[in-house]
Amino acid sequence: MVSSGISSGNSLEDSSGTVAVVGAGVIGLSCAWRAASAGFAVRVYDPAPGSGASHVAAGMLAPVTEALPTEPAVFALGAAALRRWPDFAAELTAAGADPRLRTDGTLVVALDPGDRAELDRIAEQLSRMGRPVDTLSGRQARRVEPSLGPQVCRALSVPDEASVDNRALLAALLVACRGAGVEFHAHRCLRPPSADVVILAAGAHSGALHPRLHRMIRPVKGEILRLRGRPGALAPPSRTIRAIVGGRQCYLVPRDGGRLVLGATRSEVGFDTDVTAGAVRELLTDAERVLPAVAEYAVEEAVAGLRPASPDNLPVIGELEPGVLAATGHYRHGILLAPLTAEVVLALLRGEDGPGEAGPATPARLPPVSGDASHDSHRHSRVARSAP
Ligand code: GLY
């Protein structure tokens, strides 16, 4: 039960103590699960729970290689989130279903001298950041992953990265939410629903839900292919392979059953989710140079999702105004950041400060909306105290 406003001074004394979550992607479901497990009465609003960008994602838990050293704040947030993943996955499994965490690490590979120089630069920068990585020759890389092609001439091994099966994760979160008593409402919210505390977790659609998110959260389209290895073809790699191919990046993320997620394009074309022929050609051309056996694989699915991006590529997690929290803007890192985001949101619901590591995600950094005085704190402000 939500019993009192803290920083905001909003009275919740006459309330029914409800928490409404708008959006049932990985962020909304993680927040809903944690809040319901802590005793809050939680309603989730989404016409199609477990769909959207979370359904399309590759499921990489890859703070180093997703935020290659140009984005230290994104990297630090991701590293804090990755530390939480083993417990998060174990608790989800205990709650009913296994999100299939794989902890085999990432290999980043280069195919030509320009890409090799880029890889060496990344290795140097990571080492300066105190994150030394192992550099392998092409031959050494093929010893580790025999399906890599002969054009691979350099690789960086990042052993402590991981991945989950995003769809198994969504299924597990739905089971866990239902088990914790979360109520699902299958409608699209055009404005925040009425509740004591509302959590806006509508991904790329969040910008329409609050003036402080308007023009701050934009969709960045990503197209992926889902492939399946066929009998007779070399088996997929056992760990995530990221590649720089002629300056373009792609990744191949293994799944159980000889399957592989190949991604991803990045384009800013509004809310368009068509998969273009050019995108499919680009992904397959690059992937085949990295992993020639891909040419023999079956294409099971081609699909696009909309990443919710913010101007600085950091998520927005915290209070927008009394009784309204944002948990959005996770851009390429929604799956990775889910446990940390849910932890921040639960802390705020309880009237506590969120973990310090999540400080850079505060909405206080968003530009003010005229007449809005609710964002003058430079830390996560408290929302309400739970007495479940
Ligand atoms: N996290 C992978 C991507 O956004 O493409």
Side-chain angles (χ1 to χ4, degrees):
M1 170 93 170
V2 179
S3 61
S4 65
I6 302 287
S7 67
S8 57
N10 59 319
S11 170
L12 297 172
E13 278 159 23
D14 298 330
S15 73
S16 56
T18 51
V19 174
V21 181
V22 182
V26 67
I27 297 297
L29 291 175
S30 299
C31 293
W33 172 43
R34 289 303 204 199
S37 301
F40 290 92
V42 181
R43 297 192 307 252
V44 172
Y45 294 82
D46 195 311
S51 63
S54 306
H55 185 72
V56 175
M60 286 179 287
L61 307 178
V64 177
T65 58
E66 278 273 82
L68 288 171
T70 49
E71 295 187 304
V74 178
F75 162 69
L77 204 62
L82 181 60
R83 286 194 287 276
R84 288 157 166 86
W85 255 99
D87 286 349
F88 191 74
E91 285 172 55
L92 263 182
T93 304
D98 181 355
R100 299 186 189 283
L101 179 66
R102 300 169 76 123
T103 54
D104 305 295
T106 305
L107 266 192
V108 192
V109 305
L111 276 78
D112 64 28
D115 299 334
R116 189 171 60 198
E118 173 65 11
L119 219 56
D120 290 343
R121 259 196 306 279
I122 291 168
E124 251 171 59
Q125 266 176 296
L126 285 172
S127 159
R128 275 201 299 276
M129 287 165 64
R131 290 289 305 220
V133 287
D134 289 335
T135 303
L136 310 180
S137 66
R139 189 183 299 247
Q140 288 168 323
R142 277 183 289 281
R143 226 173 276 140
V144 175
E145 287 295 352
S147 55
L148 289 173
Q151 293 183 46
V152 170
C153 60
R154 181 79 95 235
L156 302 183
S157 171
V158 186
D160 50 355
E161 292 195 331
S163 69
V164 282
D165 179 330
N166 58 313
R167 294 180 183 179
L169 169 65
L170 289 167
L173 282 167
L174 285 166
V175 169
C177 279
R178 292 196 174 104
V182 172
E183 261 180 42
F184 284 88
H185 296 260
H187 40 264
R188 183 177 304 287
C189 296
L190 301 175
R191 62 186 64 82
S194 130
D196 298 311
V197 179
V198 178
I199 300 164
L200 302 179
H205 298 279
S206 302
L209 291 170
H210 196 275
R212 293 193 63 203
L213 300 176
H214 186 54
R215 291 209 188 88
M216 288 295 116
I217 304 298
R218 66 184 201 285
V220 177
K221 176 174 161 179
E223 290 143 298
I224 62 130
L225 296 175
R226 294 173 82 95
L227 308 174
R228 173 175 41 81
R230 294 190 312 138
L234 268 185
S238 60
R239 71 205 75 207
T240 297
I241 307 292
R242 301 186 73 101
I244 311 177
V245 186
R248 272 201 309 246
Q249 294 197 19
C250 70
Y251 50 75
L252 298 120
V253 187
R255 289 283 192 270
D256 293 352
R259 290 182 163 80
L260 204 53
V261 179
L262 162 59
T265 59
R266 248 186 287 180
S267 50
E268 306 220 8
V269 288
F271 287 88
D272 165 35
T273 52
D274 282 340
V275 177
T276 66
V280 172
R281 182 190 56 219
E282 185 178 299
L283 288 169
L284 285 175
T285 303
D286 291 350
E288 213 184 316
R289 290 186 62 197
V290 179
L291 220 74
V294 155
E296 312 294 328
Y297 287 11
V299 177
E300 291 197 319
E301 192 178 343
V303 65
L306 300 171
R307 307 174 181 95
S310 73
D312 58 8
N313 290 345
L314 283 162
V316 181
I317 312 167
E319 192 187 65
L320 295 171
E321 65 174 276
V324 181
L325 298 179
T328 187
H330 293 74
Y331 189 35
R332 309 186 67 179
H333 316 283
I335 305 271
L336 170 64
L337 297 178
L340 181 62
T341 304
E343 191 178 319
V344 175
V345 164
L346 179 57
L348 297 179
L349 289 172
R350 285 174 159 161
E352 300 162 4
D353 289 333
E357 298 140 303
T362 176
R365 73 189 198 281
L366 300 179
V369 171
S370 53
D372 177 3
S374 64
H375 53 271
D376 53 359
S377 160
H378 285 277
R379 62 172 180 76
H380 292 283
S381 47
R382 298 165 178 174
V383 175
R385 183 173 300 283
S386 91

